[in-house]
Amino acid sequence: QVELVESGGRLVQAGGSLRLSCAASGRTFSTYTMGWFRQAPGKEREFVAAISRSGISTSYADSVKGRFTISRDNNKNTVYLQMNSLKPEDTAVYYCASGRDFLTYEYWGQGTQVTVSS
């Protein structure tokens, strides 16, 4: 079983940057694909980014390509989401998730709020 705890969310002005962190429990962190998702009020949860076990392969939603970067440090059991050039439409609760591949996620954190003001 994996426990995930997100941190780093806050209020930021449009054009600014944030880095979210997700700390995972356990000794098997490196065996999991990790992903970031987000959910805005009144909308369904959507995929943001994912990273493979080794960190070599990544995937991004079209809406964040060129602005967001996902990375991981397996020695620290932590995955990151660097968010640059933030837009008001990026406002959402951001969730960290782990799973077997880019399409299947089993464990989820409680989320961290990101608010981007115009």
Side-chain angles (χ1 to χ4, degrees):
Q1 183 169 313
V2 177
E3 294 184 13
L4 304 172
V5 180
E6 304 96 333
S7 63
R10 65 176 178 87
L11 173 67
V12 64
Q13 292 185 338
S17 298
L18 282 176
R19 189 173 83 157
L20 305 183
S21 298
C22 174
S25 66
R27 295 163 50 199
T28 60
F29 176 77
S30 63
T31 69
Y32 290 95
T33 294
M34 300 298 298
W36 285 97
F37 295 76
R38 66 187 183 187
Q39 187 169 26
K43 295 185 177 181
E44 295 184 350
R45 183 176 296 180
E46 66 175 345
F47 169 80
V48 176
I51 189 166
S52 64
R53 296 169 179 81
S54 67
I56 296 175
S57 181
T58 59
S59 180
Y60 297 93
D62 288 342
S63 60
V64 306
K65 285 181 179 178
R67 299 190 298 120
F68 291 11
T69 303
I70 188 171
S71 62
R72 68 190 296 163
D73 186 338
N74 288 344
N75 291 326
K76 296 182 178 179
N77 283 10
T78 302
V79 63
Y80 306 95
L81 185 67
Q82 178 66 46
M83 304 185 292
N84 298 326
S85 302
L86 283 163
K87 304 174 181 180
E89 51 262 45
D90 294 319
T91 295
V93 176
Y94 283 71
Y95 298 90
C96 176
S98 65
R100 66 187 74 167
D101 54 49
F102 280 23
L103 299 177
T104 307
Y105 296 90
E106 185 174 3
Y107 302 103
W108 298 79
Q110 290 192 190
T112 185
Q113 177 71 48
V114 173
T115 303
V116 184
S117 62
S118 60

